[in-house]
Amino acid sequence: MIPELGHFALALALALALAQSVLPLVGAQRGEARLMAAGAGLATGVLIAVAAAFAALLWSFAENDTTVSAVVQNSHSAKPMLYKLAGAWGNHEGSMVLWVLILALCGGAVALFGRGLPGALRARVLAILGMIAVGFLAFILATSNPFTRVWPPAVDGQGLNPVLQDPGLAFHPPLLYLGYVGTAVTFAFAIAALIEGRVDAAWGRWVRPWALASWSFLTLGIALGSWWAYYELGWGGYWFWDPVENASLLPWLAGCALLHSAIVVEKREALKTWSIFLAILAFSMSLLGTFLVRSGVLNSVHAFANDPERGVFILALLFITVGGAFALFAWRAPALMPTGIFAPLSREGALVLNNLLLCTVAAVVLAGTLYPMFADLMLKAKISVGPPFYQATVFPLALPLILAMAAGPLMAWKRARAWPVLQRLWWVALVALGVIALVWLVQGRPVLPALGFGAACWLILAAFVDVAERIALFSRPRAAFARARGLPRAAWGGAVAHAGFGISLLGMAGMGLATQALVNVRPGQSVPLAGYEFRLDGVGDVVGPNFTARRATVTVLRDGAVVTVLTPERRNFPLARQTTTEAAIHTTWASDLYAVMGEEENGVATLRLHHNPLAPWIWLGGAVMALGGGISLSDRRARVGAPARRRAAAEAEA
């Protein structure tokens, strides 16, 4: 009975979303307040209905209801409760319900917290969110019903993919979807502005919190997924430029550009057309990522579905949404004439350079991701685009981007001079160059890790200089504390986010100095690596909740003293008929000691051993970046709509 109620709730949500996509839009066009006000109630109704459907799905998985097809395919009675619940969104059907639930939450948030918006703008935003919900709810009901029954009931489920049975993967999809769906709200604001034909400082103030929240959740989601790949897949890396990894990076890059562009709209009423374009682009990249993951056109550990019917449906939705949005943009954008004028050398100019470089990086990643697919389809040629391509194309673009990130916040609005900025950053540049030279001379490695360390120091110290200049730390040290207390949280958040990116760069540069060894050893034998001695003490059997494993015991010594004991495992899941590796990691924050167990034969075990300097800093930097976004979002100015539009309207009437 519960699954039928969930199915009915999805159908009810579709009906309410249809009304939400029509009535407020008509009301805004006709100026009818009652129809415009209906949007908030309908958005709340959609939220309640989708939440009820998702609750029914969670109940089905928690109770292991083997009459439901999704439960049979993705759960098992022996699984821990966390993975039973995670199985609700660890499959294609359930993940799409989670997608729509987060979209409904965003619609409900706009309805609740958007009371300060002009009635017509709020109605149009809710209508566009309703249209997006209609598309995805129709997709779920037509091709991906999570409540499909099976008869006779199965004895038990087949279990979740063993690779996904991990706490990191339990929370990775919700965080990533919060970021994806947040771009839908900025998209809705952009389309509403195009329909209305007006973008001003108030619009930038309303859009920026959504862009900031979306970017922060995407940062956390990407960092968590990278961390999971590092310790769960057992290959010792943090980013493989997998096509589906790239699909999450693309909206992050576009969202980062939008976030900075919205600042210029708010402060200077410039870059209006560019901000609208970026809002459309960010959501388009989110939809493209959904298509890549759900259509089966790419083979990836992240891919959920392999169904041409679903792929065609999402592709049609992608073309309608993106094609319609860009067609409207081409028609209406010329009317959005900029009012803010600025010199190329200014903070606005630095933000424009930042945006251009971010979009160029996104274009390179998009080409590398999609070209193999088109080459296979059109030329019947199998082409592989891997890390060497991205290292040769993305890194040269990242260098000027990092330079601009440090210098931009120190420039004045409208018109700046280069010399004052150079005066503030000269010692930062000297430190960065010194670090590059030191790493290059000591390590004798390729220049890329040395450049990474220098760029990281440049960003972190420049973020410190930015805050120090704002609070007059060096010129008026006695008043610095009071000025720091009065400094807007948005300024603190921007500096923290930039420093967080520098911290991640430190970790990435450290991974460039990593050492590894693939060895075959017998119990009692030792292997030297990076000043450590890895000794295999033995291999034994282990029984888990739903798996059996062979566990190696590896003692790590340095100068004869025991540093740690690593216990990597090779797990066998009988139900899924799948074998996975469980890496053993000892971290000191300065480095990771990393061991993975491979095959055994005739008493000889294969071990892959890594020494990864500064590896934990990659994910620490991601957390710091998201923290910076949260600090900025806590600024009251980011949560209170600017009254500029209402004031301008009152003056016009007078």
Side-chain angles (χ1 to χ4, degrees), residues 247-299:
S248 65
L249 180 62
L250 289 169
W252 185 88
L253 291 168
C256 189
L258 171 62
L259 176 60
H260 291 83
S261 183
I263 295 174
V264 182
V265 175
E266 179 185 350
K267 299 291 186 182
R268 302 288 305 148
E269 292 202 32
L271 303 186
K272 298 178 181 179
T273 305
W274 184 240
S275 298
I276 294 289
F277 173 80
L278 289 173
I280 297 173
L281 182 66
F283 184 59
S284 301
M285 293 298 100
S286 295
L287 286 181
L288 178 64
T290 303
F291 168 71
L292 293 176
V293 176
R294 309 295 160 186
S295 63
V297 299
L298 295 174
N299 292 320

Side-chain angles (χ1 to χ4, degrees), residues 43-349:
T44 304
V46 171
L47 173 58
I48 294 172
V50 177
F54 191 70
L57 187 62
L58 288 176
W59 183 91
S60 301
F61 274 84
E63 294 295 320
N64 198 45
D65 186 352
T66 55
T67 67
V68 178
S69 176
V71 175
V72 174
Q73 295 174 11
N74 301 282
S75 190
H76 190 271
S77 58
K79 279 176 31 177
M81 181 56 69
L82 173 63
Y83 300 138
K84 284 185 178 180
L85 297 179
W89 59 78
N91 61 89
H92 168 74
E93 292 83 0
S95 66
M96 296 310 299
V97 178
L98 177 63
W99 206 103
V100 176
L101 174 63
I102 296 174
L103 179 63
L105 281 170
C106 290
V110 172
L112 178 63
F113 300 112
R115 296 171 183 173
L117 294 169
L121 179 65
R122 181 191 184 201
R124 290 187 174 105
V125 169
L126 289 173
I128 293 157
L129 290 174
M131 292 177 189
I132 299 170
V134 166
F136 278 92
L137 286 166
F139 171 70
I140 292 172
L141 292 171
T143 69
S144 308
N145 182 11
F147 300 107
T148 300
R149 293 281 197 175
V150 293
W151 192 262
V155 176
D156 209 336
Q158 300 173 11
L160 183 65
N161 185 340
V163 175
L164 304 181
Q165 294 185 34
D166 181 84
L169 256 289
F171 301 105
H172 166 64
L175 288 173
L176 206 59
Y177 285 4
L178 282 166
Y180 278 162
V181 179
T183 63
V185 182
T186 57
F187 172 83
F189 270 98
I191 300 302
L194 287 174
I195 295 172
E196 192 171 306
R198 181 168 53 182
V199 175
D200 53 17
W203 183 90
R205 175 72 63 85
W206 293 318
V207 165
R208 193 157 66 91
W210 288 103
L212 190 57
S214 170
W215 179 85
S216 299
F217 282 119
L218 264 177
T219 302
L220 284 176
I222 292 171
L224 187 58
S226 171
W227 183 50
W228 166 80
Y230 174 72
Y231 71 79
E232 180 66 24
L233 298 184
W235 59 285
Y238 61 95
W239 192 265
F240 194 65
W241 295 102
D242 178 275
V244 182
E245 289 177 335
N246 295 349
S248 65
L249 180 62
L250 289 169
W252 185 88
L253 291 168
C256 189
L258 171 62
L259 176 60
H260 291 83
S261 183
I263 295 174
V264 182
V265 175
E266 179 185 350
K267 299 291 186 182
R268 302 288 305 148
E269 292 202 32
L271 303 186
K272 298 178 181 179
T273 305
W274 184 240
S275 298
I276 294 289
F277 173 80
L278 289 173
I280 297 173
L281 182 66
F283 184 59
S284 301
M285 293 298 100
S286 295
L287 286 181
L288 178 64
T290 303
F291 168 71
L292 293 176
V293 176
R294 309 295 160 186
S295 63
V297 299
L298 295 174
N299 292 320
S300 167
V301 69
H302 306 78
F304 285 107
N306 189 10
D307 188 337
E309 182 184 359
R310 292 171 177 171
V312 170
F313 197 110
I314 297 180
L315 188 61
L317 183 62
L318 178 66
F319 274 117
I320 292 171
T321 305
V322 177
F326 278 113
L328 181 63
F329 176 79
W331 176 39
R332 299 285 287 174
L336 303 175
M337 297 300 294
T339 55
I341 300 175
F342 55 88
L345 187 61
S346 62
R347 188 177 299 188
E348 296 96 327

Side-chain angles (χ1 to χ4, degrees), residues 405 452 455-457 459-460 497-507 617 621 625:
M405 284 176 63
C457 293
L459 271 182
I460 295 171
H498 283 195
F501 188 65
I503 293 171
S504 288
L505 275 179
L506 279 177
W617 292 46
M625 280 192 281

Side-chain angles (χ1 to χ4, degrees), residues 515-540:
T515 54
Q516 61 178 325
L518 181 64
V519 295
N520 296 320
V521 291
R522 294 181 181 274
Q525 290 183 333
S526 299
V527 178
L529 180 69
Y532 294 89
E533 184 181 351
F534 292 76
R535 185 184 69 212
L536 177 62
D537 293 334
V539 181

Side-chain angles (χ1 to χ4, degrees), residues 583-607:
I585 305 173
H586 172 74
T587 183
T588 62
W589 291 100
S591 65
D592 278 353
L593 300 174
Y594 185 105
V596 180
M597 182 180 175
E599 299 281 353
E600 287 182 90
E601 186 175 352
N602 300 325
V604 178
T606 300
L607 296 178

Side-chain angles (χ1 to χ4, degrees), residues 453-535:
F453 279 110
C457 293
W458 166 261
L459 271 182
I460 295 171
L461 294 177
F464 168 76
V465 169
D466 179 28
V467 174
E469 288 290 330
R470 290 174 183 268
I471 64 175
L473 179 62
F474 301 118
S475 59
R476 298 174 58 192
R478 293 184 178 180
F481 179 72
R483 292 176 66 89
R485 292 182 61 186
L487 191 66
R489 293 181 186 176
W492 282 108
V496 169
H498 283 195
F501 188 65
I503 293 171
S504 288
L505 275 179
L506 279 177
M508 297 174 193
M511 286 290 285
L513 303 176
T515 54
Q516 61 178 325
L518 181 64
V519 295
N520 296 320
V521 291
R522 294 181 181 274
Q525 290 183 333
S526 299
V527 178
L529 180 69
Y532 294 89
E533 184 181 351
F534 292 76
R535 185 184 69 212

